[in-house]
């Protein structure tokens, strides 16, 4: 599956806090870096997302007295998993993994900066209605298929791929270049949901 001239490599949240040693480490998260660097060579377009929370963000367990990380709470927009403090704006943990070599990336979408709403997807906040602007960017530039890679399979990759399909973008998820957190079977559920949404799942391209 060779990328065409209007295809985009969407690199999701490959940041220090999601890699081993980070605040919300995804098991083996850094192992996606060489695969992504290799794939990027074949793409004319590359867009990155960056999880980018203010201190005290409402998705942090520390903002909810008595709540532990990896439990859930009910927010006005629905159920929300609570996380360890991570990807705080301007912190080293929020920086991209230093091994990521994507000098031609055209666009960085920051997300999760709204103190009251988390944002897994590259397209919408977790209320599933407040847009990040990525869809407008892609459409205005006439960009086409999206190849999704990065962290984490069961959260930000999953919701980005589902929303991309909902918006009508042809969507391919390259699983060898993704890693998951896996809370209570969430990787299997995420893979099923992406497939159900009409994304094409492949191991590699
Ligand atoms: C993510 C949990 C919290 C992700 C971001 O990138 O998948 N997961 N914030
Ligand atoms: Zn986050």
């Amino acid at each position: 599956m060779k990328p065409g001239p209007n295809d985009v490599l969407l690199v999701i949240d490959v940041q220090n806090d999601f890699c081993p040693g980070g605040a919300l480490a995804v098991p083996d998260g850094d192992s996606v870096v060489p695969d992504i660097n290799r794939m990027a060579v074949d793409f004319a377009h590359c867009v990155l997302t960056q999880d980018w929370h203010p201190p005290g963000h409402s998705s942090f367990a520390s903002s909810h007295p008595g709540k532990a990380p990896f439990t859930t709470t009910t927010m006005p927009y629905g159920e929300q998993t609570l996380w360890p403090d991570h990807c705080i704006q301007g912190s080293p943990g929020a920086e991209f993994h230093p091994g990521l070599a994507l000098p031609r990336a055209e666009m960085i979408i920051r997300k999760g900066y709204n103190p009251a709403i988390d944002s897994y997807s590259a397209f919408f906040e977790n209320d599933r209605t407040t847009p990040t602007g990525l869809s407008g960017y892609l459409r205005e530039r006439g960009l086409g298929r999206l190849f999704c890679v990065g962290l984490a399979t069961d959260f930000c990759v999953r919701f980005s791929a589902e929303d991309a399909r909902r918006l009508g973008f042809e969507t391919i998820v390259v699983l060898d270049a993704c890693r998951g957190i896996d809370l209570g079977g969430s990787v299997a559920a995420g893979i099923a949901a992406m497939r159900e949404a009409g994304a094409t799942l492949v191991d590699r391209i």
Side-chain angles (χ1 to χ4, degrees), residues 13 18 24 51 53 83 86 120 151-152 155-156 181:
D13 294 5
F18 297 124
L24 177 41
D51 211 41
H53 299 302
W83 304 106
H86 66 280
Y120 295 149
L151 308 172
F155 290 93
C156 291
I181 298 173

Side-chain angles (χ1 to χ4, degrees), residues 44-178:
H45 306 282
C46 177
V47 171
L48 313 183
T49 69
Q50 190 171 25
D51 211 41
W52 196 250
H53 299 302
H57 190 257
S58 59
S59 75
F60 297 168
S62 63
S63 303
H64 302 260
K67 287 281 196 175
F70 308 109
T71 63
T72 61
T73 193
T74 305
M75 300 287 220
Y77 54 83
E79 188 171 273
Q80 169 70 47
T81 301
L82 296 173
W83 304 106
D85 293 19
H86 66 280
C87 295
I88 292 178
Q89 297 168 350
S91 70
E95 287 169 17
F96 293 115
H97 186 284
L100 213 53
L102 305 172
R104 292 185 296 108
E106 295 170 352
M107 170 83 164
I108 298 171
I109 288 276
R110 287 176 167 168
K111 59 183 183 63
Y113 48 73
N114 182 340
I117 312 183
D118 204 5
S119 189
Y120 295 149
S121 163
F123 293 96
F124 293 103
E125 296 186 347
N126 282 8
D127 59 5
R128 313 298 297 266
T129 55
T130 307
T132 63
L134 180 57
S135 150
Y137 175 83
L138 296 172
R139 289 230 158 84
E140 192 163 8
R141 299 203 57 228
L143 300 176
R145 290 191 301 181
L146 290 178
F147 288 70
C148 301
V149 296
L151 308 172
T153 316
D154 36 352
F155 290 93
C156 291
V157 174
R158 171 190 172 168
F159 287 96
S160 297
E162 283 189 54
D163 284 344
R165 287 299 307 136
R166 194 151 61 92
L167 291 163
F169 292 101
E170 202 178 321
T171 306
I172 297 110
V173 179
V174 186
L175 291 171
D176 278 0
C178 299

